mmCIF file of all heavy atoms in Angstrom:
data_model
loop_
_atom_site.group_PDB
_atom_site.id
_atom_site.type_symbol
_atom_site.label_atom_id
_atom_site.label_comp_id
_atom_site.label_asym_id
_atom_site.label_seq_id
_atom_site.Cartn_x
_atom_site.Cartn_y
_atom_site.Cartn_z
ATOM 1 N N LEU B 1 1.045 4.129 -6.340
ATOM 2 C CA LEU B 1 -0.014 3.432 -5.619
ATOM 3 C C LEU B 1 -0.522 2.304 -6.509
ATOM 4 O O LEU B 1 -0.754 2.497 -7.709
ATOM 5 C CB LEU B 1 -1.165 4.387 -5.284
ATOM 6 C CG LEU B 1 -0.885 5.481 -4.256
ATOM 7 C CD1 LEU B 1 -2.106 6.385 -4.093
ATOM 8 C CD2 LEU B 1 -0.502 4.877 -2.914
ATOM 9 N N VAL B 2 -0.712 1.129 -5.913
ATOM 10 C CA VAL B 2 -1.180 -0.038 -6.653
ATOM 11 C C VAL B 2 -2.639 -0.307 -6.296
ATOM 12 O O VAL B 2 -2.996 -0.420 -5.119
ATOM 13 C CB VAL B 2 -0.321 -1.277 -6.331
ATOM 14 C CG1 VAL B 2 -0.859 -2.496 -7.076
ATOM 15 C CG2 VAL B 2 1.136 -1.026 -6.707
ATOM 16 N N PHE B 3 -3.483 -0.394 -7.325
ATOM 17 C CA PHE B 3 -4.903 -0.684 -7.147
ATOM 18 C C PHE B 3 -5.192 -2.030 -7.816
ATOM 19 O O PHE B 3 -5.052 -2.164 -9.032
ATOM 20 C CB PHE B 3 -5.769 0.394 -7.794
ATOM 21 C CG PHE B 3 -5.552 1.772 -7.250
ATOM 22 C CD1 PHE B 3 -4.538 2.579 -7.762
ATOM 23 C CD2 PHE B 3 -6.353 2.273 -6.240
ATOM 24 C CE1 PHE B 3 -4.341 3.854 -7.279
ATOM 25 C CE2 PHE B 3 -6.160 3.549 -5.748
ATOM 26 C CZ PHE B 3 -5.144 4.340 -6.269
ATOM 27 N N LYS B 4 -5.614 -3.015 -7.033
ATOM 28 C CA LYS B 4 -5.951 -4.310 -7.601
ATOM 29 C C LYS B 4 -7.417 -4.305 -8.038
ATOM 30 O O LYS B 4 -8.279 -3.770 -7.336
ATOM 31 C CB LYS B 4 -5.678 -5.424 -6.597
ATOM 32 C CG LYS B 4 -4.196 -5.523 -6.240
ATOM 33 C CD LYS B 4 -3.909 -6.677 -5.303
ATOM 34 C CE LYS B 4 -2.410 -6.777 -5.016
ATOM 35 N NZ LYS B 4 -2.070 -7.919 -4.138
ATOM 36 N N ALA B 5 -7.677 -4.885 -9.221
ATOM 37 C CA ALA B 5 -9.018 -4.789 -9.795
ATOM 38 C C ALA B 5 -9.522 -6.152 -10.263
ATOM 39 O O ALA B 5 -8.738 -7.013 -10.707
ATOM 40 C CB ALA B 5 -9.011 -3.811 -10.968
ATOM 41 N N LEU B 6 -10.847 -6.323 -10.171
ATOM 42 C CA LEU B 6 -11.523 -7.510 -10.693
ATOM 43 C C LEU B 6 -12.525 -7.063 -11.752
ATOM 44 O O LEU B 6 -13.357 -6.179 -11.498
ATOM 45 C CB LEU B 6 -12.247 -8.271 -9.578
ATOM 46 C CG LEU B 6 -11.402 -8.776 -8.404
ATOM 47 C CD1 LEU B 6 -12.279 -9.536 -7.423
ATOM 48 C CD2 LEU B 6 -10.261 -9.657 -8.887
ATOM 49 N N GLN B 7 -12.437 -7.663 -12.928
ATOM 50 C CA GLN B 7 -13.328 -7.334 -14.040
ATOM 51 C C GLN B 7 -14.239 -8.525 -14.311
ATOM 52 O O GLN B 7 -13.776 -9.617 -14.629
ATOM 53 C CB GLN B 7 -12.502 -6.986 -15.281
ATOM 54 C CG GLN B 7 -13.329 -6.594 -16.492
ATOM 55 C CD GLN B 7 -12.446 -6.235 -17.689
ATOM 56 O OE1 GLN B 7 -11.230 -6.445 -17.656
ATOM 57 N NE2 GLN B 7 -13.041 -5.701 -18.740
ATOM 58 N N THR B 8 -15.552 -8.305 -14.166
ATOM 59 C CA THR B 8 -16.515 -9.392 -14.347
ATOM 60 C C THR B 8 -17.289 -9.193 -15.640
ATOM 61 O O THR B 8 -17.754 -8.090 -15.941
ATOM 62 C CB THR B 8 -17.503 -9.449 -13.171
ATOM 63 O OG1 THR B 8 -16.770 -9.619 -11.949
ATOM 64 C CG2 THR B 8 -18.480 -10.602 -13.331
ATOM 65 N N TYR B 9 -17.428 -10.302 -16.397
ATOM 66 C CA TYR B 9 -18.150 -10.268 -17.670
ATOM 67 C C TYR B 9 -19.563 -10.848 -17.511
ATOM 68 O O TYR B 9 -19.876 -11.502 -16.508
ATOM 69 C CB TYR B 9 -17.377 -11.063 -18.727
ATOM 70 C CG TYR B 9 -16.135 -10.346 -19.226
ATOM 71 C CD1 TYR B 9 -14.904 -10.540 -18.600
ATOM 72 C CD2 TYR B 9 -16.202 -9.481 -20.310
ATOM 73 C CE1 TYR B 9 -13.765 -9.881 -19.065
ATOM 74 C CE2 TYR B 9 -15.074 -8.824 -20.778
ATOM 75 C CZ TYR B 9 -13.862 -9.025 -20.147
ATOM 76 O OH TYR B 9 -12.748 -8.369 -20.599
ATOM 77 N N SER B 10 -20.368 -10.600 -18.543
ATOM 78 C CA SER B 10 -21.763 -11.057 -18.503
ATOM 79 C C SER B 10 -21.873 -12.573 -18.528
ATOM 80 O O SER B 10 -22.921 -13.127 -18.161
ATOM 81 C CB SER B 10 -22.540 -10.458 -19.682
ATOM 82 O OG SER B 10 -21.894 -10.759 -20.917
ATOM 83 N N ASN B 11 -20.818 -13.272 -18.968
ATOM 84 C CA ASN B 11 -20.832 -14.741 -18.965
ATOM 85 C C ASN B 11 -20.266 -15.315 -17.659
ATOM 86 O O ASN B 11 -19.903 -16.488 -17.605
ATOM 87 C CB ASN B 11 -20.049 -15.287 -20.164
ATOM 88 C CG ASN B 11 -18.594 -14.822 -20.157
ATOM 89 O OD1 ASN B 11 -18.149 -14.150 -19.231
ATOM 90 N ND2 ASN B 11 -17.862 -15.178 -21.207
ATOM 91 N N LYS B 12 -20.142 -14.463 -16.631
ATOM 92 C CA LYS B 12 -19.675 -14.837 -15.288
ATOM 93 C C LYS B 12 -18.156 -15.008 -15.192
ATOM 94 O O LYS B 12 -17.641 -15.344 -14.121
ATOM 95 C CB LYS B 12 -20.351 -16.126 -14.783
ATOM 96 C CG LYS B 12 -21.875 -16.086 -14.833
ATOM 97 C CD LYS B 12 -22.444 -14.906 -14.066
ATOM 98 C CE LYS B 12 -23.970 -14.894 -14.125
ATOM 99 N NZ LYS B 12 -24.538 -13.709 -13.435
ATOM 100 N N GLU B 13 -17.439 -14.746 -16.277
ATOM 101 C CA GLU B 13 -15.977 -14.821 -16.219
ATOM 102 C C GLU B 13 -15.431 -13.644 -15.412
ATOM 103 O O GLU B 13 -15.909 -12.514 -15.537
ATOM 104 C CB GLU B 13 -15.393 -14.781 -17.632
ATOM 105 C CG GLU B 13 -13.870 -14.808 -17.652
ATOM 106 C CD GLU B 13 -13.292 -14.540 -19.032
ATOM 107 O OE1 GLU B 13 -14.080 -14.248 -19.960
ATOM 108 O OE2 GLU B 13 -12.058 -14.601 -19.181
ATOM 109 N N VAL B 14 -14.441 -13.906 -14.572
ATOM 110 C CA VAL B 14 -13.812 -12.864 -13.755
ATOM 111 C C VAL B 14 -12.321 -12.823 -14.087
ATOM 112 O O VAL B 14 -11.626 -13.842 -13.985
ATOM 113 C CB VAL B 14 -14.003 -13.127 -12.250
ATOM 114 C CG1 VAL B 14 -13.284 -12.052 -11.434
ATOM 115 C CG2 VAL B 14 -15.482 -13.167 -11.898
ATOM 116 N N VAL B 15 -11.845 -11.650 -14.501
ATOM 117 C CA VAL B 15 -10.424 -11.445 -14.775
ATOM 118 C C VAL B 15 -9.824 -10.673 -13.611
ATOM 119 O O VAL B 15 -10.312 -9.591 -13.266
ATOM 120 C CB VAL B 15 -10.201 -10.697 -16.100
ATOM 121 C CG1 VAL B 15 -8.704 -10.526 -16.368
ATOM 122 C CG2 VAL B 15 -10.864 -11.432 -17.256
ATOM 123 N N ARG B 16 -8.771 -11.212 -13.027
ATOM 124 C CA ARG B 16 -8.170 -10.637 -11.820
ATOM 125 C C ARG B 16 -6.907 -9.857 -12.201
ATOM 126 O O ARG B 16 -5.855 -10.449 -12.493
ATOM 127 C CB ARG B 16 -7.833 -11.755 -10.831
ATOM 128 C CG ARG B 16 -9.053 -12.561 -10.406
ATOM 129 C CD ARG B 16 -8.668 -13.838 -9.668
ATOM 130 N NE ARG B 16 -7.971 -13.534 -8.433
ATOM 131 C CZ ARG B 16 -8.581 -13.226 -7.280
ATOM 132 N NH1 ARG B 16 -9.912 -13.207 -7.213
ATOM 133 N NH2 ARG B 16 -7.886 -12.981 -6.191
ATOM 134 N N TRP B 17 -7.030 -8.528 -12.199
ATOM 135 C CA TRP B 17 -5.894 -7.653 -12.499
ATOM 136 C C TRP B 17 -5.208 -7.316 -11.166
ATOM 137 O O TRP B 17 -5.397 -6.242 -10.616
ATOM 138 C CB TRP B 17 -6.381 -6.393 -13.215
ATOM 139 C CG TRP B 17 -7.145 -6.674 -14.471
ATOM 140 C CD1 TRP B 17 -8.493 -6.651 -14.625
ATOM 141 C CD2 TRP B 17 -6.598 -7.021 -15.743
ATOM 142 N NE1 TRP B 17 -8.844 -6.963 -15.913
ATOM 143 C CE2 TRP B 17 -7.682 -7.199 -16.630
ATOM 144 C CE3 TRP B 17 -5.296 -7.214 -16.226
ATOM 145 C CZ2 TRP B 17 -7.508 -7.545 -17.960
ATOM 146 C CZ3 TRP B 17 -5.126 -7.558 -17.558
ATOM 147 C CH2 TRP B 17 -6.217 -7.718 -18.401
ATOM 148 N N ILE B 18 -4.391 -8.271 -10.690
ATOM 149 C CA ILE B 18 -3.849 -8.127 -9.330
ATOM 150 C C ILE B 18 -2.339 -8.343 -9.253
ATOM 151 O O ILE B 18 -1.756 -8.231 -8.168
ATOM 152 C CB ILE B 18 -4.539 -9.111 -8.372
ATOM 153 C CG1 ILE B 18 -4.302 -10.551 -8.821
ATOM 154 C CG2 ILE B 18 -6.045 -8.817 -8.286
ATOM 155 C CD1 ILE B 18 -4.814 -11.585 -7.829
ATOM 156 N N GLU B 19 -1.693 -8.635 -10.363
ATOM 157 C CA GLU B 19 -0.254 -8.881 -10.336
ATOM 158 C C GLU B 19 0.511 -7.562 -10.337
ATOM 159 O O GLU B 19 0.316 -6.725 -11.222
ATOM 160 C CB GLU B 19 0.158 -9.742 -11.530
ATOM 161 C CG GLU B 19 -0.521 -11.115 -11.557
ATOM 162 C CD GLU B 19 -0.131 -11.903 -12.784
ATOM 163 O OE1 GLU B 19 1.078 -12.032 -13.049
ATOM 164 O OE2 GLU B 19 -1.034 -12.380 -13.493
ATOM 165 N N VAL B 20 1.378 -7.381 -9.349
ATOM 166 C CA VAL B 20 2.111 -6.128 -9.207
ATOM 167 C C VAL B 20 3.336 -6.144 -10.127
ATOM 168 O O VAL B 20 4.198 -7.025 -10.002
ATOM 169 C CB VAL B 20 2.554 -5.907 -7.746
ATOM 170 C CG1 VAL B 20 3.301 -4.592 -7.619
ATOM 171 C CG2 VAL B 20 1.343 -5.944 -6.821
ATOM 172 N N PRO B 21 3.432 -5.200 -11.056
ATOM 173 C CA PRO B 21 4.607 -5.143 -11.939
ATOM 174 C C PRO B 21 5.878 -4.876 -11.134
ATOM 175 O O PRO B 21 5.875 -4.074 -10.197
ATOM 176 C CB PRO B 21 4.292 -3.972 -12.883
ATOM 177 C CG PRO B 21 2.801 -3.806 -12.805
ATOM 178 C CD PRO B 21 2.429 -4.179 -11.403
ATOM 179 N N GLN B 22 6.948 -5.540 -11.507
ATOM 180 C CA GLN B 22 8.232 -5.389 -10.829
ATOM 181 C C GLN B 22 9.236 -4.725 -11.770
ATOM 182 O O GLN B 22 9.306 -5.067 -12.949
ATOM 183 C CB GLN B 22 8.763 -6.750 -10.368
ATOM 184 C CG GLN B 22 7.838 -7.495 -9.416
ATOM 185 C CD GLN B 22 7.628 -6.780 -8.097
ATOM 186 O OE1 GLN B 22 8.529 -6.092 -7.615
ATOM 187 N NE2 GLN B 22 6.447 -6.935 -7.509
ATOM 188 N N GLU B 23 9.969 -3.758 -11.216
ATOM 189 C CA GLU B 23 10.952 -3.044 -12.022
ATOM 190 C C GLU B 23 12.034 -4.005 -12.526
ATOM 191 O O GLU B 23 12.540 -4.841 -11.790
ATOM 192 C CB GLU B 23 11.593 -1.929 -11.188
ATOM 193 C CG GLU B 23 12.519 -1.026 -11.990
ATOM 194 C CD GLU B 23 13.063 0.120 -11.160
ATOM 195 O OE1 GLU B 23 12.648 0.245 -9.990
ATOM 196 O OE2 GLU B 23 13.899 0.880 -11.673
ATOM 197 N N GLY B 24 12.360 -3.871 -13.820
ATOM 198 C CA GLY B 24 13.386 -4.721 -14.421
ATOM 199 C C GLY B 24 12.879 -6.059 -14.907
ATOM 200 O O GLY B 24 13.659 -6.853 -15.441
ATOM 201 N N GLN B 25 11.570 -6.328 -14.730
ATOM 202 C CA GLN B 25 10.992 -7.592 -15.170
ATOM 203 C C GLN B 25 9.916 -7.343 -16.215
ATOM 204 O O GLN B 25 9.389 -6.229 -16.339
ATOM 205 C CB GLN B 25 10.398 -8.359 -13.983
ATOM 206 C CG GLN B 25 11.417 -8.744 -12.919
ATOM 207 C CD GLN B 25 10.791 -9.548 -11.796
ATOM 208 O OE1 GLN B 25 9.649 -9.994 -11.890
ATOM 209 N NE2 GLN B 25 11.548 -9.744 -10.718
ATOM 210 N N ASP B 26 9.595 -8.385 -16.987
ATOM 211 C CA ASP B 26 8.543 -8.271 -17.989
ATOM 212 C C ASP B 26 7.199 -8.013 -17.316
ATOM 213 O O ASP B 26 6.966 -8.441 -16.178
ATOM 214 C CB ASP B 26 8.462 -9.553 -18.822
ATOM 215 C CG ASP B 26 9.705 -9.758 -19.679
ATOM 216 O OD1 ASP B 26 10.414 -8.761 -19.942
ATOM 217 O OD2 ASP B 26 9.980 -10.911 -20.058
ATOM 218 N N GLU B 27 6.334 -7.320 -18.052
ATOM 219 C CA GLU B 27 5.007 -7.045 -17.506
ATOM 220 C C GLU B 27 4.239 -8.352 -17.330
ATOM 221 O O GLU B 27 4.235 -9.203 -18.222
ATOM 222 C CB GLU B 27 4.235 -6.115 -18.442
ATOM 223 C CG GLU B 27 2.894 -5.673 -17.882
ATOM 224 C CD GLU B 27 2.187 -4.700 -18.810
ATOM 225 O OE1 GLU B 27 1.842 -5.140 -19.929
ATOM 226 O OE2 GLU B 27 1.991 -3.542 -18.438
ATOM 227 N N PRO B 28 3.605 -8.544 -16.188
ATOM 228 C CA PRO B 28 2.838 -9.788 -15.962
ATOM 229 C C PRO B 28 1.629 -9.873 -16.880
ATOM 230 O O PRO B 28 1.226 -8.886 -17.515
ATOM 231 C CB PRO B 28 2.432 -9.671 -14.492
ATOM 232 C CG PRO B 28 2.488 -8.212 -14.175
ATOM 233 C CD PRO B 28 3.582 -7.646 -15.022
ATOM 234 N N ASP B 29 1.048 -11.045 -16.933
ATOM 235 C CA ASP B 29 -0.113 -11.260 -17.799
ATOM 236 C C ASP B 29 -1.323 -10.466 -17.340
ATOM 237 O O ASP B 29 -2.115 -9.994 -18.166
ATOM 238 C CB ASP B 29 -0.466 -12.749 -17.840
ATOM 239 C CG ASP B 29 0.616 -13.573 -18.524
ATOM 240 O OD1 ASP B 29 1.353 -13.006 -19.358
ATOM 241 O OD2 ASP B 29 0.736 -14.776 -18.206
ATOM 242 N N ASN B 30 -1.496 -10.314 -16.043
ATOM 243 C CA ASN B 30 -2.641 -9.585 -15.501
ATOM 244 C C ASN B 30 -2.158 -8.504 -14.526
ATOM 245 O O ASN B 30 -2.344 -8.621 -13.310
ATOM 246 C CB ASN B 30 -3.601 -10.544 -14.791
ATOM 247 C CG ASN B 30 -4.203 -11.560 -15.736
ATOM 248 O OD1 ASN B 30 -3.701 -12.668 -15.896
ATOM 249 N ND2 ASN B 30 -5.286 -11.181 -16.390
ATOM 250 N N PRO B 31 -1.539 -7.456 -15.068
ATOM 251 C CA PRO B 31 -0.969 -6.409 -14.190
ATOM 252 C C PRO B 31 -2.047 -5.605 -13.470
ATOM 253 O O PRO B 31 -3.114 -5.317 -14.029
ATOM 254 C CB PRO B 31 -0.194 -5.523 -15.167
ATOM 255 C CG PRO B 31 -0.904 -5.694 -16.469
ATOM 256 C CD PRO B 31 -1.355 -7.119 -16.491
ATOM 257 N N ALA B 32 -1.757 -5.257 -12.243
ATOM 258 C CA ALA B 32 -2.658 -4.392 -11.478
ATOM 259 C C ALA B 32 -2.481 -2.951 -11.939
ATOM 260 O O ALA B 32 -1.388 -2.554 -12.354
ATOM 261 C CB ALA B 32 -2.352 -4.505 -9.986
ATOM 262 N N PRO B 33 -3.535 -2.134 -11.889
ATOM 263 C CA PRO B 33 -3.403 -0.716 -12.226
ATOM 264 C C PRO B 33 -2.459 -0.013 -11.245
ATOM 265 O O PRO B 33 -2.598 -0.162 -10.030
ATOM 266 C CB PRO B 33 -4.828 -0.178 -12.094
ATOM 267 C CG PRO B 33 -5.710 -1.382 -12.210
ATOM 268 C CD PRO B 33 -4.937 -2.507 -11.614
ATOM 269 N N VAL B 34 -1.511 0.744 -11.784
ATOM 270 C CA VAL B 34 -0.526 1.443 -10.963
ATOM 271 C C VAL B 34 -0.586 2.937 -11.259
ATOM 272 O O VAL B 34 -0.492 3.352 -12.421
ATOM 273 C CB VAL B 34 0.900 0.918 -11.227
ATOM 274 C CG1 VAL B 34 1.920 1.706 -10.411
ATOM 275 C CG2 VAL B 34 0.992 -0.564 -10.898
ATOM 276 N N LEU B 35 -0.741 3.740 -10.211
ATOM 277 C CA LEU B 35 -0.775 5.195 -10.340
ATOM 278 C C LEU B 35 0.579 5.771 -9.957
ATOM 279 O O LEU B 35 1.021 5.637 -8.807
ATOM 280 C CB LEU B 35 -1.867 5.787 -9.441
ATOM 281 C CG LEU B 35 -1.956 7.317 -9.400
ATOM 282 C CD1 LEU B 35 -2.383 7.869 -10.759
ATOM 283 C CD2 LEU B 35 -2.928 7.782 -8.315
ATOM 284 N N ALA B 36 1.255 6.406 -10.905
ATOM 285 C CA ALA B 36 2.552 7.034 -10.631
ATOM 286 C C ALA B 36 2.331 8.400 -9.992
ATOM 287 O O ALA B 36 1.501 9.193 -10.455
ATOM 288 C CB ALA B 36 3.342 7.178 -11.928
ATOM 289 N N LEU B 37 3.070 8.678 -8.924
ATOM 290 C CA LEU B 37 2.947 9.949 -8.212
ATOM 291 C C LEU B 37 4.096 10.871 -8.598
ATOM 292 O O LEU B 37 5.250 10.448 -8.664
ATOM 293 C CB LEU B 37 2.947 9.714 -6.701
ATOM 294 C CG LEU B 37 1.868 8.768 -6.158
ATOM 295 C CD1 LEU B 37 1.979 8.662 -4.640
ATOM 296 C CD2 LEU B 37 0.473 9.250 -6.555
ATOM 297 N N SER B 38 3.757 12.131 -8.845
ATOM 298 C CA SER B 38 4.773 13.120 -9.200
ATOM 299 C C SER B 38 5.275 13.833 -7.954
ATOM 300 O O SER B 38 4.743 13.642 -6.849
ATOM 301 C CB SER B 38 4.196 14.128 -10.193
ATOM 302 O OG SER B 38 3.082 14.806 -9.626
ATOM 303 N N ALA B 39 6.305 14.658 -8.124
ATOM 304 C CA ALA B 39 6.883 15.394 -6.999
ATOM 305 C C ALA B 39 5.846 16.329 -6.386
ATOM 306 O O ALA B 39 4.925 16.786 -7.079
ATOM 307 C CB ALA B 39 8.099 16.188 -7.470
ATOM 308 N N PRO B 40 5.962 16.619 -5.089
ATOM 309 C CA PRO B 40 4.998 17.517 -4.445
ATOM 310 C C PRO B 40 4.986 18.889 -5.104
ATOM 311 O O PRO B 40 6.010 19.352 -5.626
ATOM 312 C CB PRO B 40 5.505 17.611 -2.994
ATOM 313 C CG PRO B 40 6.392 16.426 -2.810
ATOM 314 C CD PRO B 40 6.996 16.141 -4.141
ATOM 315 N N ALA B 41 3.823 19.537 -5.098
ATOM 316 C CA ALA B 41 3.719 20.888 -5.623
ATOM 317 C C ALA B 41 4.556 21.829 -4.771
ATOM 318 O O ALA B 41 4.720 21.620 -3.563
ATOM 319 C CB ALA B 41 2.260 21.340 -5.640
ATOM 320 N N GLU B 42 5.109 22.891 -5.395
ATOM 321 C CA GLU B 42 5.994 23.809 -4.682
ATOM 322 C C GLU B 42 5.294 24.495 -3.516
ATOM 323 O O GLU B 42 5.900 24.788 -2.496
ATOM 324 C CB GLU B 42 6.535 24.862 -5.650
ATOM 325 C CG GLU B 42 7.463 24.278 -6.710
ATOM 326 C CD GLU B 42 8.009 25.348 -7.632
ATOM 327 O OE1 GLU B 42 7.640 26.527 -7.433
ATOM 328 O OE2 GLU B 42 8.797 25.008 -8.531
ATOM 329 N N ASP B 43 3.989 24.762 -3.687
ATOM 330 C CA ASP B 43 3.256 25.441 -2.607
ATOM 331 C C ASP B 43 2.811 24.463 -1.534
ATOM 332 O O ASP B 43 2.307 24.867 -0.492
ATOM 333 C CB ASP B 43 2.042 26.200 -3.158
ATOM 334 C CG ASP B 43 1.138 25.321 -4.000
ATOM 335 O OD1 ASP B 43 1.233 24.081 -3.868
ATOM 336 O OD2 ASP B 43 0.365 25.854 -4.795
ATOM 337 N N GLY B 44 2.953 23.146 -1.830
ATOM 338 C CA GLY B 44 2.615 22.140 -0.832
ATOM 339 C C GLY B 44 1.139 21.889 -0.673
ATOM 340 O O GLY B 44 0.709 21.216 0.240
ATOM 341 N N HIS B 45 0.334 22.413 -1.605
ATOM 342 C CA HIS B 45 -1.112 22.238 -1.463
ATOM 343 C C HIS B 45 -1.721 21.470 -2.622
ATOM 344 O O HIS B 45 -2.922 21.387 -2.733
ATOM 345 C CB HIS B 45 -1.808 23.608 -1.361
ATOM 346 C CG HIS B 45 -1.450 24.362 -0.119
ATOM 347 N ND1 HIS B 45 -0.349 25.197 -0.061
ATOM 348 C CD2 HIS B 45 -2.006 24.390 1.114
ATOM 349 C CE1 HIS B 45 -0.269 25.739 1.152
ATOM 350 N NE2 HIS B 45 -1.251 25.247 1.880
ATOM 351 N N GLY B 46 -0.905 20.943 -3.512
ATOM 352 C CA GLY B 46 -1.451 20.168 -4.610
ATOM 353 C C GLY B 46 -2.280 21.013 -5.541
ATOM 354 O O GLY B 46 -2.071 22.205 -5.682
ATOM 355 N N HIS B 47 -3.256 20.375 -6.201
ATOM 356 C CA HIS B 47 -4.042 21.104 -7.188
ATOM 357 C C HIS B 47 -5.025 22.050 -6.549
ATOM 358 O O HIS B 47 -5.588 22.903 -7.221
ATOM 359 C CB HIS B 47 -4.781 20.109 -8.103
ATOM 360 C CG HIS B 47 -6.010 19.524 -7.494
ATOM 361 N ND1 HIS B 47 -5.980 18.408 -6.696
ATOM 362 C CD2 HIS B 47 -7.317 19.909 -7.540
ATOM 363 C CE1 HIS B 47 -7.226 18.111 -6.307
ATOM 364 N NE2 HIS B 47 -8.034 19.005 -6.800
ATOM 365 N N GLY B 48 -5.238 21.953 -5.237
ATOM 366 C CA GLY B 48 -6.164 22.879 -4.589
ATOM 367 C C GLY B 48 -5.648 24.302 -4.664
ATOM 368 O O GLY B 48 -6.396 25.247 -4.887
#
C-alpha cells in the first residue's frame, strides 16, 4: 500500500513525499511511504 505524505516545517516549507518507488529503479528523491503486506494468516483472521 502506498501512502503519500506532506511534511510541513515551521518556516512554511512543505516537502512532498509522493513519488512512488518503482521496482528495478533507483529510489526517487522524495519517495512515498510504502507498506509491504505479508501473506494472509493461516486462520484467515489476521492478528485478531
Side-chain angles (χ1 to χ4, degrees):
L1 292 177
V2 178
F3 300 86
K4 297 183 178 182
L6 301 182
Q7 181 179 9
T8 302
Y9 286 90
S10 55
N11 59 4
K12 307 304 180 183
E13 178 189 4
V14 178
V15 181
R16 300 168 63 83
W17 303 101
I18 61 173
E19 300 177 51
V20 181
Q22 301 296 328
E23 187 176 356
Q25 298 182 11
D26 293 339
E27 186 177 65
D29 293 334
N30 297 94
V34 177
L35 176 66
L37 303 181
S38 60
E42 293 181 359
D43 53 19
H45 294 88
H47 79 274

